[in-house]
Amino acid sequence: LVQAPFGIVDVISEMIKNNLELIQTVDTDKIMNLVAALVHLQKTRHMSARLVNLLCSLCTCNKRPVSANQTLILESLLQQHPEMLLRVQNQGRQLHVPYMEGANSAVDMAPLKARLEANPDMLSKNLLTLSTSDRIFRYHLRVMYLLAAMCAGRNRQVTDWLLTQELDPKTALGISYPELVGSILDSELPAIYRSARCE
């Protein structure tokens, strides 16, 4: 998948979405390879948002959880690569990118609001046309939907792991109830981000 054209990833995502028979053909090795590709693409080029969509499609089927996949993604992505989860800071207005170093490791979301209002289809454009901060923001949006898909059906293993991350400011994801509500109500943040936080 690392070498595949991005359109193929979209086609596979649509094929398996809400198709339990196909979802069940995706074995542990395929999910592990998908996670490895996601980590590689995001760390090197900030271009793995489509792979996050594919993982989302594996977590639920017709709004019902596929708990084996939810747990496997927890173990292979979140627990083995926690740096791939962006940390929300400054009352939800800034994303800290743990796998990046230095000044480029933070993305302010307030300026994104103005850019999204001026260009509403910005996030549906080819990733190669977006700035690094826009790619990171797009990835983070998709991860928010992935976390929601992983928690579908009240998967205790996933929700417990996520909540333990909130206990330490260094690993906090900004998903505690007060932080979620605060960012949803914050009109300075992009509407699409506030909507994703509702998930």
Side-chain angles (χ1 to χ4, degrees):
L1 277 176
V2 173
Q3 302 298 328
F6 286 116
I8 291 174
V9 177
D10 292 339
V11 169
I12 294 170
S13 292
E14 287 303 311
M15 284 174 55
I16 66 171
K17 187 183 288 183
N18 296 324
N19 186 332
L20 188 58
E21 191 174 324
L22 277 179
I23 289 172
Q24 290 173 335
T25 66
V26 180
D27 61 18
T28 301
D29 288 340
K30 289 179 184 145
I31 291 177
M32 299 289 274
N33 288 338
L34 180 60
V35 167
L38 183 153
V39 170
H40 171 76
L41 281 172
Q42 191 60 30
K43 285 185 175 182
T44 58
R45 298 167 55 197
H46 310 293
M47 295 183 63
S48 68
R50 285 185 163 106
L51 295 177
V52 177
N53 284 351
L54 184 51
L55 288 177
C56 281
S57 297
L58 294 170
C59 286
T60 60
C61 181
N62 293 315
K63 299 188 179 183
R64 291 189 172 163
V66 181
S67 57
N69 287 351
Q70 291 172 325
T71 303
L72 182 57
I73 294 167
L74 167 70
E75 293 167 353
S76 61
L77 177 61
L78 305 188
Q79 291 177 341
Q80 289 187 27
H81 300 282
E83 76 279 6
M84 299 310 294
L85 293 173
L86 308 189
R87 311 298 178 213
V88 178
Q89 300 173 335
N90 293 344
Q91 291 80 43
R93 293 188 178 188
Q94 191 173 61
L95 295 174
H96 172 68
V97 187
Y99 60 86
M100 292 175 68
E101 300 279 331
N104 294 329
S105 67
V107 174
D108 287 319
M109 287 195 280
L112 286 168
K113 181 181 179 188
R115 289 205 308 275
L116 282 164
E117 287 173 351
N119 188 4
D121 65 339
M122 178 180 85
L123 295 180
S124 62
K125 290 186 175 181
N126 184 318
L127 280 171
L128 295 173
T129 66
L130 298 179
S131 68
T132 298
S133 63
D134 292 346
R135 288 183 208 173
I136 291 170
F137 178 69
R138 186 163 158 178
Y139 167 78
H140 181 64
L141 278 177
R142 303 285 166 75
V143 167
M144 296 301 295
Y145 290 114
L146 174 62
L147 295 179
M150 290 175 66
C151 292
R154 298 182 181 171
N155 185 315
R156 286 302 309 176
Q157 199 171 349
V158 175
T159 53
D160 286 349
W161 186 86
L162 289 171
L163 291 174
T164 59
Q165 300 305 295
E166 292 303 298
L167 300 176
D168 182 350
K170 292 179 183 173
T171 60
L173 303 169
I175 57 170
S176 68
Y177 183 75
E179 289 189 58
L180 285 173
V181 171
S183 60
I184 290 166
L185 297 175
D186 188 347
S187 61
E188 296 300 311
L189 294 174
I192 192 169
Y193 177 71
R194 294 163 64 198
S195 171
R197 303 280 281 174
C198 290
E199 290 288 319

